Amino acid sequence: MRAVLITLGLILLAAGIWVLLGHGSYQQTDTLVQIGSAKVTATHDTPISPQVGIASIVVGAVLALIGFLREG
């Protein structure tokens, strides 16, 4: 259980840093025009909010700390 907490914490820490550095994004598709069954869509990259990165760092640090301090 210790190793799982430490590993998960470190993964969340790395993901949070990745997002804060501006590398995290997801694709969003919007329908611009739809006439009958034909439609025109646009797909663009949307950055992940920095608050998500900060939350990931905090949760990851807490999990890793619990894993390091846990006995057994």
Side-chain angles (χ1 to χ4, degrees):
M1 186 68 174
R2 254 183 98 198
V4 172
L5 286 174
I6 294 169
T7 304
L8 187 59
L10 293 177
I11 289 172
L12 284 173
L13 274 168
I17 292 169
W18 182 259
V19 168
L20 284 180
L21 291 176
H23 299 292
S25 65
Y26 60 95
Q27 288 188 342
Q28 185 174 1
T29 302
D30 297 324
T31 301
L32 301 176
V33 178
Q34 183 170 0
I35 301 173
S37 62
K39 62 180 167 178
V40 177
T41 60
T43 302
H44 56 279
D45 288 336
T46 305
I48 297 174
S49 174
Q51 288 86 359
V52 175
I54 293 169
S56 176
I57 289 173
V58 170
V59 172
V62 169
L63 287 177
L65 188 61
I66 290 171
F68 281 123
L69 295 178
R70 192 171 183 161
E71 293 182 21

PDB file of all heavy atoms in Angstrom, residues 1-3 9 11-12 15 18 24 29 33-35 48 50-51 60-61 72:
ATOM      1  N   MET A   1       0.821  -1.190   0.000  1.00  0.00           N
ATOM      2  CA  MET A   1       0.000   0.000   0.000  1.00  0.00           C
ATOM      3  C   MET A   1       0.869   1.261   0.000  1.00  0.00           C
ATOM      4  O   MET A   1       0.510   2.252  -0.620  1.00  0.00           O
ATOM      5  CB  MET A   1      -0.918  -0.041   1.224  1.00  0.00           C
ATOM      6  CG  MET A   1      -1.911   1.062   1.282  1.00  0.00           C
ATOM      7  SD  MET A   1      -3.095   0.854  -0.035  1.00  0.00           S
ATOM      8  CE  MET A   1      -4.226   2.132   0.331  1.00  0.00           C
ATOM      9  N   ARG A   2       1.990   1.195   0.693  1.00  0.00           N
ATOM     10  CA  ARG A   2       2.909   2.333   0.722  1.00  0.00           C
ATOM     11  C   ARG A   2       3.411   2.684  -0.665  1.00  0.00           C
ATOM     12  O   ARG A   2       3.419   3.846  -1.057  1.00  0.00           O
ATOM     13  CB  ARG A   2       4.114   1.971   1.596  1.00  0.00           C
ATOM     14  CG  ARG A   2       4.154   2.607   2.920  1.00  0.00           C
ATOM     15  CD  ARG A   2       5.416   2.215   3.644  1.00  0.00           C
ATOM     16  NE  ARG A   2       6.363   3.302   3.447  1.00  0.00           N
ATOM     17  CZ  ARG A   2       7.645   3.210   3.613  1.00  0.00           C
ATOM     18  NH1 ARG A   2       8.187   2.068   3.944  1.00  0.00           N
ATOM     19  NH2 ARG A   2       8.416   4.245   3.432  1.00  0.00           N
ATOM     20  N   ALA A   3       3.830   1.660  -1.378  1.00  0.00           N
ATOM     21  CA  ALA A   3       4.381   1.888  -2.715  1.00  0.00           C
ATOM     22  C   ALA A   3       3.324   2.473  -3.653  1.00  0.00           C
ATOM     23  O   ALA A   3       3.642   3.320  -4.496  1.00  0.00           O
ATOM     24  CB  ALA A   3       4.931   0.590  -3.290  1.00  0.00           C
ATOM     25  N   GLY A   9       1.207   9.425  -5.842  1.00  0.00           N
ATOM     26  CA  GLY A   9       1.542  10.798  -5.487  1.00  0.00           C
ATOM     27  C   GLY A   9       2.547  11.414  -6.432  1.00  0.00           C
ATOM     28  O   GLY A   9       2.403  12.566  -6.859  1.00  0.00           O
ATOM     29  N   ILE A  11       3.156  10.502  -9.532  1.00  0.00           N
ATOM     30  CA  ILE A  11       2.525  10.670 -10.853  1.00  0.00           C
ATOM     31  C   ILE A  11       1.678  11.933 -10.872  1.00  0.00           C
ATOM     32  O   ILE A  11       1.719  12.719 -11.835  1.00  0.00           O
ATOM     33  CB  ILE A  11       1.690   9.428 -11.221  1.00  0.00           C
ATOM     34  CG1 ILE A  11       2.606   8.248 -11.521  1.00  0.00           C
ATOM     35  CG2 ILE A  11       0.770   9.713 -12.403  1.00  0.00           C
ATOM     36  CD1 ILE A  11       1.890   6.927 -11.698  1.00  0.00           C
ATOM     37  N   LEU A  12       0.902  12.167  -9.810  1.00  0.00           N
ATOM     38  CA  LEU A  12       0.089  13.376  -9.741  1.00  0.00           C
ATOM     39  C   LEU A  12       0.951  14.638  -9.667  1.00  0.00           C
ATOM     40  O   LEU A  12       0.609  15.666 -10.266  1.00  0.00           O
ATOM     41  CB  LEU A  12      -0.860  13.316  -8.544  1.00  0.00           C
ATOM     42  CG  LEU A  12      -2.077  12.418  -8.711  1.00  0.00           C
ATOM     43  CD1 LEU A  12      -2.837  12.299  -7.400  1.00  0.00           C
ATOM     44  CD2 LEU A  12      -2.978  12.936  -9.808  1.00  0.00           C
ATOM     45  N   ALA A  15       2.202  15.245 -13.196  1.00  0.00           N
ATOM     46  CA  ALA A  15       1.115  15.721 -14.058  1.00  0.00           C
ATOM     47  C   ALA A  15       0.772  17.175 -13.752  1.00  0.00           C
ATOM     48  O   ALA A  15       0.519  17.969 -14.668  1.00  0.00           O
ATOM     49  CB  ALA A  15      -0.114  14.835 -13.881  1.00  0.00           C
ATOM     50  N   TRP A  18       3.424  19.362 -15.236  1.00  0.00           N
ATOM     51  CA  TRP A  18       3.247  19.362 -16.696  1.00  0.00           C
ATOM     52  C   TRP A  18       2.151  20.362 -17.102  1.00  0.00           C
ATOM     53  O   TRP A  18       2.315  21.130 -18.051  1.00  0.00           O
ATOM     54  CB  TRP A  18       2.891  17.950 -17.161  1.00  0.00           C
ATOM     55  CG  TRP A  18       2.725  17.807 -18.633  1.00  0.00           C
ATOM     56  CD1 TRP A  18       1.556  17.760 -19.320  1.00  0.00           C
ATOM     57  CD2 TRP A  18       3.754  17.688 -19.610  1.00  0.00           C
ATOM     58  NE1 TRP A  18       1.801  17.621 -20.650  1.00  0.00           N
ATOM     59  CE2 TRP A  18       3.142  17.570 -20.861  1.00  0.00           C
ATOM     60  CE3 TRP A  18       5.140  17.660 -19.527  1.00  0.00           C
ATOM     61  CZ2 TRP A  18       3.858  17.436 -22.028  1.00  0.00           C
ATOM     62  CZ3 TRP A  18       5.848  17.523 -20.705  1.00  0.00           C
ATOM     63  CH2 TRP A  18       5.216  17.409 -21.936  1.00  0.00           C
ATOM     64  N   GLY A  24      -0.432  20.919 -20.906  1.00  0.00           N
ATOM     65  CA  GLY A  24      -1.673  20.149 -20.813  1.00  0.00           C
ATOM     66  C   GLY A  24      -2.794  20.797 -21.603  1.00  0.00           C
ATOM     67  O   GLY A  24      -3.091  21.975 -21.448  1.00  0.00           O
ATOM     68  N   THR A  29     -14.504  19.952 -29.855  1.00  0.00           N
ATOM     69  CA  THR A  29     -15.103  20.072 -31.177  1.00  0.00           C
ATOM     70  C   THR A  29     -16.419  20.836 -31.064  1.00  0.00           C
ATOM     71  O   THR A  29     -17.271  20.485 -30.256  1.00  0.00           O
ATOM     72  CB  THR A  29     -15.353  18.686 -31.795  1.00  0.00           C
ATOM     73  OG1 THR A  29     -14.108  17.986 -31.853  1.00  0.00           O
ATOM     74  CG2 THR A  29     -15.929  18.790 -33.188  1.00  0.00           C
ATOM     75  N   VAL A  33     -21.982  25.037 -38.249  1.00  0.00           N
ATOM     76  CA  VAL A  33     -23.195  25.129 -39.071  1.00  0.00           C
ATOM     77  C   VAL A  33     -23.743  23.731 -39.269  1.00  0.00           C
ATOM     78  O   VAL A  33     -22.986  22.795 -39.523  1.00  0.00           O
ATOM     79  CB  VAL A  33     -22.888  25.760 -40.455  1.00  0.00           C
ATOM     80  CG1 VAL A  33     -24.129  25.799 -41.321  1.00  0.00           C
ATOM     81  CG2 VAL A  33     -22.290  27.143 -40.314  1.00  0.00           C
ATOM     82  N   GLN A  34     -25.074  23.598 -39.161  1.00  0.00           N
ATOM     83  CA  GLN A  34     -25.696  22.304 -39.449  1.00  0.00           C
ATOM     84  C   GLN A  34     -26.947  22.550 -40.289  1.00  0.00           C
ATOM     85  O   GLN A  34     -27.848  23.277 -39.885  1.00  0.00           O
ATOM     86  CB  GLN A  34     -26.068  21.567 -38.160  1.00  0.00           C
ATOM     87  CG  GLN A  34     -26.651  20.205 -38.428  1.00  0.00           C
ATOM     88  CD  GLN A  34     -26.802  19.384 -37.158  1.00  0.00           C
ATOM     89  OE1 GLN A  34     -26.460  19.839 -36.077  1.00  0.00           O
ATOM     90  NE2 GLN A  34     -27.304  18.186 -37.307  1.00  0.00           N
ATOM     91  N   ILE A  35     -26.941  21.930 -41.476  1.00  0.00           N
ATOM     92  CA  ILE A  35     -28.086  22.006 -42.375  1.00  0.00           C
ATOM     93  C   ILE A  35     -28.487  20.583 -42.695  1.00  0.00           C
ATOM     94  O   ILE A  35     -27.772  19.875 -43.413  1.00  0.00           O
ATOM     95  CB  ILE A  35     -27.749  22.780 -43.665  1.00  0.00           C
ATOM     96  CG1 ILE A  35     -27.293  24.201 -43.323  1.00  0.00           C
ATOM     97  CG2 ILE A  35     -28.945  22.798 -44.601  1.00  0.00           C
ATOM     98  CD1 ILE A  35     -26.780  24.991 -44.487  1.00  0.00           C
ATOM     99  N   ILE A  48      -5.684  23.164 -20.322  1.00  0.00           N
ATOM    100  CA  ILE A  48      -6.230  22.786 -19.016  1.00  0.00           C
ATOM    101  C   ILE A  48      -5.935  23.928 -18.042  1.00  0.00           C
ATOM    102  O   ILE A  48      -4.854  24.508 -18.041  1.00  0.00           O
ATOM    103  CB  ILE A  48      -5.595  21.474 -18.527  1.00  0.00           C
ATOM    104  CG1 ILE A  48      -5.954  20.340 -19.490  1.00  0.00           C
ATOM    105  CG2 ILE A  48      -6.058  21.133 -17.121  1.00  0.00           C
ATOM    106  CD1 ILE A  48      -5.266  19.037 -19.172  1.00  0.00           C
ATOM    107  N   PRO A  50      -4.894  26.182 -14.961  1.00  0.00           N
ATOM    108  CA  PRO A  50      -3.789  26.052 -14.000  1.00  0.00           C
ATOM    109  C   PRO A  50      -4.247  25.587 -12.620  1.00  0.00           C
ATOM    110  O   PRO A  50      -3.479  24.969 -11.888  1.00  0.00           O
ATOM    111  CB  PRO A  50      -3.209  27.472 -13.923  1.00  0.00           C
ATOM    112  CG  PRO A  50      -3.638  28.138 -15.162  1.00  0.00           C
ATOM    113  CD  PRO A  50      -4.941  27.515 -15.552  1.00  0.00           C
ATOM    114  N   GLN A  51      -5.502  25.857 -12.262  1.00  0.00           N
ATOM    115  CA  GLN A  51      -6.019  25.398 -10.972  1.00  0.00           C
ATOM    116  C   GLN A  51      -6.019  23.881 -10.880  1.00  0.00           C
ATOM    117  O   GLN A  51      -5.814  23.318  -9.813  1.00  0.00           O
ATOM    118  CB  GLN A  51      -7.436  25.932 -10.729  1.00  0.00           C
ATOM    119  CG  GLN A  51      -7.487  27.411 -10.431  1.00  0.00           C
ATOM    120  CD  GLN A  51      -7.541  28.261 -11.692  1.00  0.00           C
ATOM    121  OE1 GLN A  51      -7.530  27.740 -12.812  1.00  0.00           O
ATOM    122  NE2 GLN A  51      -7.587  29.562 -11.527  1.00  0.00           N
ATOM    123  N   GLY A  60      -1.069  15.207  -4.942  1.00  0.00           N
ATOM    124  CA  GLY A  60       0.071  14.318  -5.135  1.00  0.00           C
ATOM    125  C   GLY A  60       1.076  14.415  -4.002  1.00  0.00           C
ATOM    126  O   GLY A  60       1.594  13.397  -3.531  1.00  0.00           O
ATOM    127  N   ALA A  61       1.339  15.634  -3.546  1.00  0.00           N
ATOM    128  CA  ALA A  61       2.279  15.809  -2.440  1.00  0.00           C
ATOM    129  C   ALA A  61       1.750  15.184  -1.161  1.00  0.00           C
ATOM    130  O   ALA A  61       2.500  14.537  -0.417  1.00  0.00           O
ATOM    131  CB  ALA A  61       2.557  17.296  -2.224  1.00  0.00           C
ATOM    132  N   GLY A  72       5.157   0.256   8.010  1.00  0.00           N
ATOM    133  CA  GLY A  72       4.691  -1.069   7.611  1.00  0.00           C
ATOM    134  C   GLY A  72       5.211  -1.477   6.354  1.00  0.00           C
ATOM    135  O   GLY A  72       5.401  -1.879   5.444  1.00  0.00           O
TER     136      GLY A  72
END
